[in-house]
Amino acid sequence: MTFDRVPIVEAALDSYLNSAKPAPTLLAPDAALCPGSDLLAHRAVELFEDQVLSRQLDVAARELKKTDRSYYTIGSAGHEQNAVVGALLRVNDPAFLHYRSGGFMLARARKLPGSTPLFDTLLGTVASSEDPIARGRHKVWGSRALWVPPQTSTIASHLPKAMGMAFSLARARRLGVANDLPADAIVACSFGDASANHATALSAFSTARYAVKVGLPMPILFVCEDNGTGISVATPEGWIEETFGSQPNLRYVLADGELDHLWDTVAGAIHFVRRARRPLFLHLKTVRLWGHAGSDAEQMYRSPAAIAETELHDPLLRNARRLVELGASTPDDLLRLLHDARERVAAVAEEATRRPRLETTEQVVATLAPYHPERIVERAQQPVLSDDARREAFDGHLPEESTLPNAQTLAGCIDAALTDELARRPELIVFGEDVGRKGGVYNVTHDLQRRFGEGRVFDTLLDETSILGIAQGAALTGLLPIPEIQYLAYLHNALDQLRGEAASLQFFSNDQFRNPMVVRVAGLAYQKGFGGHFHNDNSVGALRDIPGLLLAVPSRGDDAARMLRGAIATAREDGRVVVFLEPIALYHEKDLQADGDGGWLTSYPPPPEVLLPGQVGVYEPDASDLLIVSYANGLRLSLQAARRLRDAHGIRSRVIDLRWLNPLPFDAVRRHAAECGRVLVVDECRRTGAGIADALIADLAEHAFDGELRGLRAVDSFVPLGPATAAVLLGLEQILDAARSLLTAAPRRTPAVRRRARG
Amino acid sequence: MSRAVLLLPGAGAYRRASLGSLPAHDRHVAEADALRREAGLPTLTEIDGAASFEPSVHGQPIHAMPLAYLLGVLAVERAQRDHEVVAVTASSIGWYTALAVAGALSFDDGLRLVHEIASVEQQAERGVQLVYPLTDANWRPHPALRAALDAALAAAGDRVSVVQELGPHVILGGEPSAVERCFSALRPVQIGERRFPRRIHRAALHGTTSARLPDDAVLRLAALHWRRPEITLIDGRGARHAPWSSDPGRLREYTLHELRAAPARFADSVRVALREYAPDVLIALGPGRSLAAVAAQLMVAEGYRGLRTRAAFEAAQQHGTLVLSTAA
């Protein structure tokens, strides 16, 4: 048996058409393909043409690969019946597609005259910088005009956001948020049978069903393209039907059989979703031809007989037979169609290879993290609410009008800042576990639901993946989501929703799609009386690892209000994904140096003041014996240490609060370090948790800082319960010890620095 | 044979230089003349054979349009001897010729359609349109001209709109007084030897209410026999009508209604042709080289075959023809 099955499958279709006899009578182009079917004869041939073109795109990708001119050979061969779904959905039904969607895309593009799907797809295949969706960054199915946000779809991680968008359509409309989607739009989302097992997929199905259960609209068409195989592993016979065939609140429809039957089945399914605003699981039977990808040697894990048997079920062969037998076309016409498709795709592929590719780093990262601080600050100024309007939002009493100065906690300031932002930005929604009625487990969203209603502030089910999926989907409808993840440790359950999906959207869509959001996460350690790792996680490595993600970590109330506004304005202006990590232990902290001193309370800064990355907080700016660099709980400890060093030893320490951990304020740190000569970095995160100490110390070293450097980090351990936490977390004494050792170390500073330090 | 896409010109496709170009003893010429006699009109052979070009005769739609149609059909027949024509598209009302060339209408029906349209044009109000460029003499996009155009359109509100998008230039149409105000408002510019904005003394053929075909004309065209084309047609929106899958009823709808109701986007048609057919050559029918010049600029705008400047295009054109201009 020959292993290159492409010519064999191609020849089978030719052979059928060369030997087939035309039907005795031909159908009129506008006649039904089969009595009772809504599929017209000419439309059936158009579909077939789209399927053939999709197949030829696969052929071309493999041909180009032979001469190293293409970079992606995962194809759609065998899945082309998905063209029916593409033809029956509207171009403004958002579609989140999996990677075998050639037929779907060609059929959808046909509905928008002027589309050029062959060229566009091949530009992606050859990684050209002219690829209209990803600009050479990946081969993805996507198009702004066709409302197909791109994703790699390899692990079903696009299902939660598709569900989230279906969830958000009606909400966005009710809140008056502008988008280009009609009131009866539905969301479609496709994936393979093996992918249906991913936790992300199950999460999306579950939340879709949950929505129905609680009476919320959820107009989503889940399309499971079942080819019976996950790379090399066969899906057990009947698995999809058994698993999804009778789930409550999820209608199941099997789509199999002849083209006309498929058409009517899919049309009915779409009609149900559109009319009932409920989810439907469309089980579309397909086959997989030519292995998983061009590099996959299918013969290593499937018998020749099994491979040949699958090829007999080639949907193109089946459809050609149907069209000829029912008289929608003649064998000669279909041969001409085939000839035209092969010639065209080959010619277009050649043209695509002549197009430029990405060359420089600047080109690659151009849309990874757009950032326009001036415009962000401008954005933060607007809209302005009158004091009366604000007073109404705050039940009559503005938070900055407190009779006591410096009366606000971190939690109180965040709550107030959310109130101000919700009042002036109608597109803003706040949601998560317990954020609604309860007002958050730490009272940070206290009263928000009462003030702004359940449409804008709401509780979700307990699934972090779905929370972040809703955030992405909501953002795509034009809402500005502020989801909450209850504890930092819970984020890891759903991290890929940020890493692989939300943070990559601007990159892979060349900034044509955006999912701006501010993800509030309660985290870090040092909670009194509430211990254990799962509520005291102290690693930000997983967040700092995500390209383009902004990470804000406020330590005190006034900073938090300004930083939150900066985060929201950045999300709005530049489409960015921002994580706003709130130190739980500081939420209600009042004191700094001694019990009852109220040193950690602040006043509430009214809008529109903002703080953006790079704007560090500086304590004792005139001090220069020692620079302590920290954030969050570590900052409070550092300020305590600075007081003790001054009182006990006369050492004057300058302390800076980084405020934003991604991107890090390297310039500011370098500047202050040069002025002080001795630097202590106090990082409350785990030693190997990719905390900021390593990055800052490395940066200073690489920039020829020749003073004394120390870094303090937490122990590499999960955080234990009770007093044992002190054994792994940074404490005041460690900071004092490190500071003292720095100050007694032999100086290595340059004369210039020394002079400045003395002066 | 090289794979070619045919581009048919729009209005004004019969000029002084076209005189005397009809061949003797040609089947189509004879058919056309017979139809003209039936309709009580002078034959095309007579009009083409006139000693001199008389705008009052040769400029009349009832003569000029059928002549352009006939010359177009003949030119395409010649081109097909040397090229594999993979698609046909047209600028503006060249679409009527394209239908016959592609086989969606018989030659006779195509001529009947053209005559009916010509009668409509003959009776149409004079009107006015403006041509305005968007590229400079070196074919580069000219942002200042685009800005001037946008400003003039914004000022005119919905009384003036772009009725044809040709790529290197646009045609504006609408209420005559508002079009005239646009003429004064648009920044004057000289590109090569021509000054812009330039008036066309004819009402818009697309994209305005008055461009729609009157109901009685549509009724008189009810007898046309619409067929599937033999060659793929790319219409003025960039949609494809393939021999094996098109619906003649849809072609009829498009031709009699949508073609006139919506702006004609020749730039989109050519873009689809280049991107989705990747032809070896574009064959732009004459008279003159104006359509070929537009096609060349569209090719450069696309960066087709890596050609991104006028100079690169002209150098490549010398070595191997990318845009072939053929006199109709």
Side-chain angles (χ1 to χ4, degrees):
Chain A
M1 184 179 205
T2 167
F3 294 133
D4 183 1
R5 304 300 293 177
V6 173
I8 291 161
V9 171
E10 287 277 277
L13 184 57
D14 290 337
S15 160
Y16 163 70
L17 290 172
N18 280 313
S19 61
K21 298 272 178 291
T25 52
L26 289 181
L27 292 172
D30 56 354
L33 181 63
C34 201
S37 173
D38 283 337
L39 178 59
L40 304 183
H42 84 95
R43 196 77 186 82
V45 183
E46 279 182 352
L47 268 176
F48 181 72
E49 183 180 22
D50 290 333
Q51 296 178 319
V52 167
L53 288 168
S54 169
R55 180 69 60 86
Q56 291 311 308
L57 288 172
D58 294 338
V59 174
R62 285 166 187 248
E63 279 302 308
L64 292 171
K65 184 82 185 114
K66 290 177 184 168
T67 48
D68 280 336
R69 293 187 294 166
S70 84
Y71 303 92
Y72 194 89
T73 53
I74 299 183
S76 307
H79 279 246
E80 291 92 348
Q81 298 294 47
N82 60 25
V84 172
V85 187
L88 281 163
L89 286 168
R90 302 175 185 160
V91 289
N92 51 13
D93 288 329
F96 298 78
L97 302 180
H98 101 314
Y99 49 77
R100 300 199 194 277
S101 296
F104 181 107
M105 279 300 275
L106 281 149
R108 190 170 174 105
R110 187 186 281 278
K111 296 163 80 93
L112 188 70
S115 298
T116 54
L118 295 181
F119 189 56
D120 296 351
T121 305
L122 285 160
L123 286 173
T125 305
V126 301
S128 168
S129 54
E130 291 185 351
D131 164 19
I133 187 66
R135 298 276 166 192
R137 297 185 181 94
H138 205 298
K139 162 68 185 74
V140 285
W141 295 113
S143 159
R144 187 65 193 82
L146 296 173
W147 243 114
V148 180
Q151 56 259 315
T152 67
S153 75
T154 47
I155 50 174
S157 47
H158 58 305
L159 271 68
K161 63 177 154 181
M163 175 281 296
M165 194 169 188
F167 172 83
S168 304
L169 286 173
R171 203 166 291 254
R173 183 159 283 272
R174 217 169 40 242
L175 294 176
V177 168
N179 59 39
D180 54 355
L181 300 169
D184 63 347
I186 68 171
V187 175
C189 166
S190 61
F191 48 91
D193 50 304
S195 262
N197 301 309
H198 282 295
T200 41
L202 300 173
S203 175
F205 303 142
S206 165
T207 304
R209 294 172 45 224
Y210 186 102
V212 178
K213 182 76 178 168
V214 298
L216 293 170
M218 183 55 76
I220 184 164
L221 179 75
F222 291 114
V223 184
C224 178
E225 298 185 13
D226 182 0
N227 64 25
T229 310
I231 303 188
S232 68
V233 179
T235 294
E237 191 67 35
W239 174 246
I240 295 294
E241 292 93 322
E242 284 165 25
T243 311
F244 300 103
S246 54
Q247 290 207 1
N249 300 318
L250 180 64
R251 180 170 285 208
Y252 167 90
V253 170
L254 176 66
D256 196 7
E258 298 294 354
L259 190 60
D260 38 306
H261 176 68
L262 209 56
W263 178 272
D264 296 326
T265 304
V266 174
I270 291 171
H271 179 71
F272 169 81
V273 176
R274 202 179 298 287
R275 189 177 45 80
R277 318 304 290 167
R278 278 173 164 233
L280 185 144
F281 189 101
L282 184 76
H283 184 189
L284 179 65
K285 290 282 197 172
T286 64
V287 291
R288 192 191 74 186
L289 301 173
W290 308 344
H292 176 70
S295 55
D296 175 32
E298 194 177 17
Q299 69 279 5
M300 301 298 286
Y301 54 84
R302 292 188 75 201
S303 71
I307 292 171
E309 159 70 17
T310 300
E311 289 168 358
L312 293 177
H313 299 287
D314 178 359
L316 265 53
L317 199 55
R318 182 179 196 167
N319 293 346
R321 197 171 277 132
R322 188 76 173 163
L323 296 180
V324 168
E325 287 173 1
L326 295 177
S329 191
T330 62
D332 279 352
D333 267 357
L334 294 188
L335 279 168
R336 285 177 65 201
L337 178 161
L338 203 53
H339 169 79
D340 177 81
R342 284 178 179 148
E343 216 180 40
R344 271 172 71 192
V345 173
V348 175
E350 282 302 318
E351 178 61 23
T353 61
R354 300 185 188 108
R355 297 308 174 113
R357 300 207 170 95
L358 294 172
E359 286 170 5
T360 66
T361 308
E362 288 72 25
Q363 289 171 343
V364 173
V365 302
T367 61
L368 174 65
Y371 186 57
H372 303 93
E374 295 83 12
R375 300 217 299 256
I376 291 168
V377 171
E378 227 168 81
R379 171 80 73 163
Q381 313 296 313
Q382 301 294 332
V384 179
L385 285 193
S386 69
D387 274 1
D388 284 349
R390 286 187 65 221
R391 217 176 287 281
E392 198 184 322
F394 281 107
D395 303 322
H397 185 76
L398 293 179
E400 67 267 29
E401 290 176 345
S402 174
T403 47
L404 297 168
N406 292 346
Q408 299 284 350
T409 59
L410 174 65
C413 279
I414 294 174
D415 193 16
L418 284 170
T419 304
D420 262 325
E421 292 297 295
L422 280 160
R424 69 178 185 147
R425 299 185 190 278
E427 74 276 20
L428 210 139
I429 56 173
V430 170
F431 56 95
E433 298 160 11
D434 306 303
V435 303
R437 248 179 117 171
K438 182 174 165 62
V441 290
Y442 295 99
N443 248 13
V444 179
T445 52
H446 176 68
D447 264 352
L448 295 182
Q449 188 177 71
R450 183 180 61 74
R451 288 169 176 164
F452 299 101
E454 287 182 38
R456 300 185 62 199
V457 180
F458 52 94
D459 292 318
T460 63
L461 75 179
L462 268 62
D463 177 36
E464 288 69 26
T465 300
S466 289
I467 290 171
L468 295 178
I470 289 170
Q472 294 168 79
L476 284 165
T477 67
L479 291 163
L480 182 60
I482 306 199
E484 180 188 294
I485 299 294
Q486 204 162 59
Y487 288 99
L488 178 55
Y490 301 178
L491 177 65
H492 301 280
N493 187 23
L495 190 71
D496 190 54
Q497 288 300 304
L498 292 183
R499 192 179 198 280
E501 297 296 326
S504 73
L505 184 64
Q506 285 173 285
F507 183 73
F508 287 125
S509 72
N510 202 46
D511 206 16
Q512 295 169 88
F513 288 98
R514 292 175 158 198
N515 44 207
M517 65 179 76
V518 178
V519 186
R520 291 183 44 249
V521 184
L524 302 178
Y526 297 97
Q527 287 188 76
K528 288 174 193 144
F530 192 43
H533 167 76
F534 296 98
H535 302 104
N536 288 274
D537 193 351
N538 66 337
S539 170
V540 294
L543 290 167
R544 293 202 56 243
D545 163 67
I546 299 174
L549 186 105
L550 285 162
L551 175 59
V553 188
S555 52
R556 39 183 270 183
D558 51 355
D559 280 3
R562 294 185 181 103
M563 288 166 73
L564 186 61
R565 285 181 209 127
I568 290 170
T570 304
R572 202 87 210 99
E573 179 61 35
D574 283 324
R576 302 286 295 277
V577 176
V578 188
V579 169
F580 199 78
L581 178 60
E582 301 165 5
I584 301 171
L586 299 177
Y587 269 150
H588 303 292
E589 180 60 68
K590 293 178 180 157
D591 305 327
L592 173 56
Q593 303 292 353
D595 284 353
D597 72 358
W600 206 245
L601 295 172
T602 67
S603 57
Y604 174 72
E609 290 175 36
V610 294
L611 281 170
L612 296 178
Q615 296 180 312
V616 297
V618 185
Y619 297 80
E620 300 294 332
D622 296 331
S624 60
D625 293 339
L626 170 68
L627 177 71
I628 308 181
V629 180
S630 194
Y631 61 95
N633 299 284
L635 177 78
R636 184 165 166 272
L637 292 169
S638 298
L639 289 170
Q640 291 170 355
R643 169 72 70 89
R644 282 161 181 68
L645 289 168
R646 190 194 69 189
D647 293 351
H649 309 286
I651 297 164
R652 299 193 60 226
S653 312
R654 190 184 300 182
V655 180
I656 62 175
D657 182 359
L658 295 166
R659 290 181 176 144
W660 295 80
L661 302 193
N662 229 13
L664 279 168
F666 289 116
D667 288 346
V669 172
R670 276 180 227 145
R671 200 172 60 245
H672 288 285
E675 286 171 14
C676 297
R678 295 186 178 89
V679 180
L680 173 62
V681 182
V682 176
D683 182 358
E684 68 186 274
C685 282
R686 283 195 296 106
R687 178 172 299 276
T688 60
I692 49 86
D694 294 357
L696 289 175
I697 289 171
D699 179 75
L700 287 172
E702 285 172 4
H703 287 82
F705 173 73
D706 64 351
E708 290 300 314
L709 269 172
R710 292 278 191 291
L712 286 175
R713 306 156 181 87
V715 172
D716 263 331
S717 167
F718 297 105
V719 176
L721 199 61
T725 50
V728 298
L729 298 181
L730 282 185
L732 180 57
E733 287 307 321
Q734 282 166 277
I735 300 173
L736 289 168
D737 287 348
R740 283 188 290 256
S741 83
L742 255 180
L743 286 151
T744 52
R748 279 199 295 122
R749 286 184 286 163
T750 61
V753 172
R754 206 157 39 233
R755 269 199 306 277
R756 231 186 358 260
R758 285 203 194 101
Chain B
M1 280 208 292
S2 59
R3 297 171 64 252
V5 170
L6 284 177
L7 315 178
L8 304 187
Y14 191 84
R15 300 182 191 165
R16 196 177 299 276
S18 312
L19 273 187
S21 45
L22 283 186
H25 316 298
D26 180 89
R27 176 170 60 96
H28 287 318
V29 176
E31 285 169 349
D33 283 348
L35 269 169
R36 296 277 294 184
R37 278 190 213 98
E38 260 176 50
L41 291 164
T43 65
L44 298 180
T45 304
E46 285 161 23
I47 294 178
D48 178 67
S52 64
F53 186 88
E54 301 293 338
S56 62
V57 178
H58 297 97
Q60 295 295 311
I62 199 67
H63 305 312
M65 287 182 66
L67 274 168
Y69 170 81
L70 179 54
L71 288 171
V73 169
L74 296 177
V76 171
E77 282 190 350
R78 283 197 300 278
Q80 281 181 303
R81 289 179 211 143
D82 302 323
H83 303 277
E84 181 196 354
V85 176
V86 294
V88 179
T89 191
S91 172
S92 179
I93 56 172
W95 176 255
Y96 302 124
T97 307
L99 288 167
V101 161
L105 290 174
S106 67
F107 176 81
D108 285 7
D109 271 357
L111 194 57
R112 286 188 189 99
L113 170 63
V114 165
H115 269 128
E116 188 57 50
I117 302 291
S119 322
V120 171
E121 297 305 326
Q122 200 81 19
Q123 291 154 25
E125 288 174 31
R126 233 164 104 78
V128 64
Q129 298 173 90
L130 299 182
V131 185
Y132 199 64
L134 296 173
T135 54
D136 65 17
N138 283 316
W139 304 0
R140 290 172 305 207
H142 197 317
L145 298 181
R146 167 63 74 181
L149 173 70
D150 290 345
L153 283 172
D158 56 3
R159 285 165 299 162
V160 179
S161 60
V162 172
V163 296
Q164 287 194 47
E165 285 190 5
L166 288 118
H169 53 264
V170 291
I171 299 178
L172 307 180
E175 281 179 29
S177 59
V179 173
E180 284 297 344
R181 271 198 296 281
C182 266
F183 184 90
S184 316
L186 281 167
R187 166 189 158 149
V189 61
Q190 174 117 16
I191 309 278
E193 289 168 5
R194 303 191 107 166
R195 284 194 66 73
F196 296 93
R198 202 156 52 77
R199 289 188 184 85
I200 303 173
H201 291 287
R202 176 195 288 142
L205 295 162
H206 310 272
T208 63
T209 320
S210 56
R212 290 165 194 269
L213 293 183
D215 291 346
D216 57 336
V218 173
L219 268 178
R220 281 192 294 277
L221 292 168
L224 296 184
H225 178 60
W226 295 81
R227 310 182 297 200
R228 278 188 166 162
E230 287 296 311
I231 308 170
T232 296
L233 281 160
I234 301 172
D235 71 25
R237 306 163 301 180
R240 294 174 288 117
H241 305 263
W244 36 83
S245 60
S246 61
D247 175 7
R250 289 284 310 122
L251 264 179
R252 178 186 176 282
E253 278 301 297
Y254 172 73
T255 303
L256 300 184
H257 301 290
E258 293 154 43
L259 170 67
R260 306 294 290 243
R265 304 185 194 282
F266 184 61
D268 279 359
S269 310
V270 174
R271 192 170 47 81
V272 167
L274 290 173
R275 291 188 181 186
E276 299 294 279
Y277 291 82
D280 301 315
V281 60
L282 292 179
I283 301 179
L285 264 60
R289 291 196 41 85
S290 53
L291 192 66
V294 166
Q297 286 215 42
L298 288 169
M299 226 178 217
V300 167
E302 272 291 295
Y304 198 66
R305 301 274 161 104
L307 306 171
R308 290 175 191 276
T309 62
R310 177 177 183 170
F313 176 84
E314 286 173 349
Q317 180 80 346
Q318 281 187 348
H319 295 293
T321 307
L322 286 164
V323 175
L324 190 68
S325 178
T326 174

